[in-house]
Amino acid sequence: MDCITFAVLVSISQMWGAATAAPMSVKFRVKWRSEQLVLKLKKIQVPAGMTLTQPADQLDGLSSVVALLDGYGELISDSPYLSQVKTEISSLKGSLASLKQSRCGGEGKAYRTSAAGGALQRLQSQRGFVLTVSMEALVRVMEILTRLLANMENLDKC
């Protein structure tokens, strides 16, 4: 291999590394934050016998994950006990939105919560029951993150 070919290959590998490094580091950060958040959510005392009445929300790529985390995050009480969890959900949502922007551009499809069976919409209509809605929202966030961690390919779709 001559020097020119070697220089071209090194240059191409550096460009390839720079082009793929940012999304991969964001994806790693999303995975790590999701794992940490699931661990915290498992420590929160959920009332005994609480079950999810609606089917699971549909995860159909980054748009749906960002929309669901945003929607459920808004339903969690602003109590001091949950403020750190809300902050971490918001931070994770920001990382996902950044990944969505870099992969999908500004044209990511709009996600409609009604397509997911309406669990989020039902909770939004029951905001008056702050504790119950907060607890169900926390359980739903944990469910979404657990499913996301089991199917990280959802991060590759817009």
Side-chain angles (χ1 to χ4, degrees):
M1 179 182 311
D2 64 347
C3 290
I4 294 174
T5 305
F6 181 72
V8 168
L9 288 175
V10 168
S11 176
I12 290 173
S13 70
Q14 287 175 343
M15 287 187 300
W16 179 259
T20 60
M24 194 54 105
S25 66
V26 172
K27 193 173 180 180
F28 176 78
R29 187 173 41 225
V30 164
K31 182 178 184 212
W32 183 81
R33 283 185 176 163
S34 297
E35 290 169 341
Q36 297 304 308
L37 195 48
V38 166
L39 290 174
K40 280 189 179 180
L41 291 172
K42 285 182 178 181
K43 293 178 184 178
I44 293 176
Q45 300 244 340
V46 176
M50 181 177 177
T51 58
L52 299 178
T53 56
Q54 297 284 327
D57 294 294
Q58 180 181 350
L59 297 184
D60 189 25
L62 284 167
S63 295
S64 64
V65 175
V66 170
L68 289 169
L69 287 179
D70 186 41
Y72 286 123
E74 289 177 6
L75 294 173
I76 297 170
S77 166
D78 288 328
S79 72
Y81 178 68
L82 297 176
S83 64
Q84 180 64 31
V85 171
K86 276 187 83 162
T87 300
E88 290 183 34
I89 291 170
S90 179
S91 176
L92 175 60
K93 187 186 73 147
S95 294
L96 286 165
S98 171
L99 184 62
K100 179 183 163 198
Q101 182 67 28
S102 69
R103 291 194 179 204
C104 308
E107 298 181 19
K109 69 177 180 177
Y111 181 73
R112 294 169 41 109
T113 56
S114 60
L120 178 57
Q121 288 180 334
R122 181 187 53 77
L123 270 183
Q124 288 171 334
S125 71
Q126 298 176 344
R127 287 181 189 247
F129 304 100
V130 177
L131 180 60
T132 305
V133 169
S134 288
M135 286 297 124
E136 186 171 339
L138 288 168
V139 171
R140 295 241 180 229
V141 167
M142 185 170 64
E143 174 194 47
I144 289 165
L145 295 178
T146 301
R147 288 179 30 226
L148 178 65
L149 288 167
N151 300 304
M152 290 297 285
E153 65 270 4
N154 277 310
L155 297 180
D156 296 330
K157 297 187 289 184
C158 292

